[in-house]
Amino acid sequence: MNERHEQHDADSPDDAGEPTLPAALVADLTALYRPPSTLRAPSRVDDTVFRAAREHLAGVSALGAKTPLSQVGERLGEGDGSSDASSHRLHSEASDDSTLTPALSLSGRGRWRWALPWGLAAAAALAVAATVSITLIRTDAPRAAADPRDIDANGRVDILDAFALARRLEQPLGGVDPARVDVNGDGAVDAADVDAIAAAAVKLNGGRG
Amino acid sequence: MPQDVAESGATPADDPRSDLELVDAINSGDPAAFDALYLRYRDWVLRLAWRFTRDHDAAGDVLQDTFTYVLRKFPGFALTARFTTFLYPVVRHVAIANQKKARRMILDDGQIDQPAEPDPPSADTQRRQLASVMACLSEDHREAVLLRFVDGFSLAEIAEAVGVPVGTVKSRLHHAIKALRDDPATQRYFEQ
């Protein structure tokens, strides 16, 4: 039965009513396709799903979900950074994904959408960061043993440091040590420092392609 | 069961939040909300997976892969239909993909060439014959019948779940019902 035939039939007057089946037939269908009473979800599946949820959503939390990004976007005048644009219809995506397999189709376009406002922010702050860097070099300012931009202290300055500082700035008391994270040296710990770190991250990563 | 759940005494299955609220919470990184959503739909997915696979272990694999897929939709996931309407095509696709990988064959319980029964058949025989007729239906027609009359989906929900117009769903149901009515093995259902 092809779709054209089906659609043609569907448009016919005979198909206007709600299709029904005799109750006995429905009962037997239900009995036929009812799973065995011994069917239980394996505990290994529960454990795997719970563990996967924690691992995956911890990453979501670490990236500050949606709010911090949108707030930073507003600070930088890059638009509202709303996540609405990245939301997508749950059903249509699942239904249209004809190659749906867990291994291949889970990368998610939304995963990278968070990077857009940060990329724009980093570009906007690049000139400021370059100026700061040149100033530091020319004045031979003493460098701390640990890079102050390495907020998460993992030995690298990357975009996660910018996220970390942005998140800390949203905490009621700031949650930051001004002496440590005033990376642009202007005497204040604020969005400009986040921008500076983001710019540095882009600069550092740029050579790696 | 996650430790935080065990310590609180409350189970995610008792979570009073709606599906929409749970989805919002998961988008914010709340793993407990995902636990609740999983436990709310776990058995439904498992039963559906079993229908596709007819195998306990394979159904468990489909359950896991389905929720792994769902999990990776977060963050940025918007619930615009019943959650089962979203889950159905996911379960179906995952089941088919897993079967292809495992090169499993789905065997129907009934035999297609059943001899005609001169006397009124027993309930078991009648069901076997029904299974045979159902096995002869196309996959699309059989799916429409099961979604409508076993799972209780509305026509619109079936249309959303399988990605076809409502008119096509009605057409599939009418053709399937006609086949059941015309087949000597099942026409007695319509004569009762």
Side-chain angles (χ1 to χ4, degrees):
Chain A
M1 182 64 58
N2 60 39
E3 294 294 326
R4 177 186 292 182
H5 186 194
E6 289 179 327
Q7 190 58 56
H8 173 77
D9 287 348
D11 293 338
S12 67
D14 291 341
D15 290 332
E18 171 86 9
T20 59
L21 280 181
L25 179 49
V26 173
D28 278 356
L29 275 176
T30 303
L32 268 177
Y33 290 91
R34 179 194 304 145
S37 59
T38 56
L39 185 65
R40 295 281 185 279
S43 59
R44 65 169 173 82
V45 174
D46 289 350
D47 292 342
T48 301
V49 171
F50 289 142
R51 192 178 309 115
R54 269 141 193 80
E55 290 174 2
H56 181 73
L57 296 175
V60 172
S61 298
L63 292 175
K66 306 172 184 177
T67 307
L69 296 177
S70 60
Q71 289 178 354
V72 169
E74 289 169 357
R75 277 202 298 267
L76 297 175
E78 296 288 349
D80 63 8
S82 169
S83 63
D84 291 343
S86 66
S87 64
H88 44 270
R89 295 194 75 239
L90 175 158
H91 157 67
S92 60
E93 189 164 303
S95 298
D96 296 344
D97 191 355
S98 59
T99 59
L100 180 65
T101 64
L104 296 178
S105 59
L106 304 182
S107 57
R109 292 184 294 269
R111 177 172 297 181
W112 292 103
R113 286 184 179 147
W114 61 265
L116 180 59
W118 278 108
L120 295 173
L126 191 57
V128 175
T131 303
V132 170
S133 299
I134 291 170
T135 302
L136 287 173
I137 291 170
R138 286 182 175 174
T139 56
D140 289 324
R143 296 182 66 84
D147 193 327
R149 300 170 300 180
D150 184 13
I151 303 298
D152 57 11
N154 66 352
R156 296 189 309 273
V157 177
D158 53 24
I159 198 69
L160 294 178
D161 296 297
F163 286 148
L165 180 56
R167 200 164 53 246
R168 291 185 192 184
L169 288 176
E170 293 171 1
Q171 295 173 2
L173 299 177
V176 293
D177 177 2
R180 171 167 157 67
V181 297
D182 182 17
V183 296
N184 63 2
D186 64 356
V189 177
D190 52 23
D193 298 293
V194 176
D195 300 341
I197 295 174
V202 172
K203 186 177 180 182
L204 291 170
N205 290 331
R208 300 175 198 159
Chain B
M1 188 68 62
Q3 187 177 1
D4 52 349
V5 173
E7 288 172 351
S8 70
T11 66
D14 300 328
D15 198 305
R17 288 175 287 182
S18 69
D19 290 353
L20 199 57
E21 290 169 329
L22 289 175
V23 166
D24 285 344
I26 300 168
N27 274 325
S28 299
D30 178 7
F34 190 83
D35 296 345
L37 200 63
Y38 168 73
L39 292 176
R40 187 171 292 174
Y41 291 99
R42 176 186 61 185
D43 292 344
W44 186 89
V45 168
L46 188 67
R47 289 195 299 268
L48 184 61
W50 181 88
R51 186 192 296 169
F52 285 118
T53 62
R54 295 290 176 134
D55 181 271
H56 197 141
D57 289 340
D61 291 342
V62 171
L63 171 66
Q64 179 174 318
D65 290 346
T66 296
F67 277 95
T68 300
Y69 172 81
V70 171
L71 176 62
R72 295 184 188 179
K73 288 290 184 185
F74 293 95
F77 189 71
L79 186 62
T80 58
R82 276 208 313 176
F83 199 54
T84 49
T85 307
F86 165 70
L87 284 173
Y88 180 83
V90 178
V91 174
R92 183 177 62 170
H93 279 98
V94 169
I96 292 171
N98 286 3
Q99 284 167 350
K100 284 180 179 174
K101 276 190 286 186
R103 296 181 181 281
R104 292 193 185 103
M105 294 288 290
I106 300 176
L107 300 176
D108 286 301
D109 290 340
Q111 300 296 314
I112 292 178
D113 295 325
Q114 288 285 326
E117 294 282 346
D119 299 322
S122 68
D124 283 350
T125 304
Q126 193 163 327
R127 282 181 189 169
R128 278 203 301 275
Q129 292 177 334
L130 174 59
S132 300
V133 177
M134 288 292 290
C136 290
L137 296 179
S138 73
E139 184 181 338
D140 289 342
H141 290 181
R142 184 169 56 248
E143 178 180 57
V145 168
L146 295 179
L147 283 173
R148 179 71 189 95
F149 299 108
V150 177
D151 298 323
F153 277 43
S154 69
L155 298 181
E157 287 167 345
I158 297 171
E160 279 209 63
V162 303
V164 299
V166 171
T168 301
V169 174
K170 292 174 74 173
S171 172
R172 289 177 180 179
L173 284 171
H174 278 290
H175 282 287
I177 293 171
K178 183 175 187 304
L180 290 167
R181 183 185 289 114
D182 291 348
D183 195 296
T186 50
Q187 62 186 192
R188 65 173 57 86
Y189 283 107
F190 297 86
E191 296 166 352
Q192 294 172 354

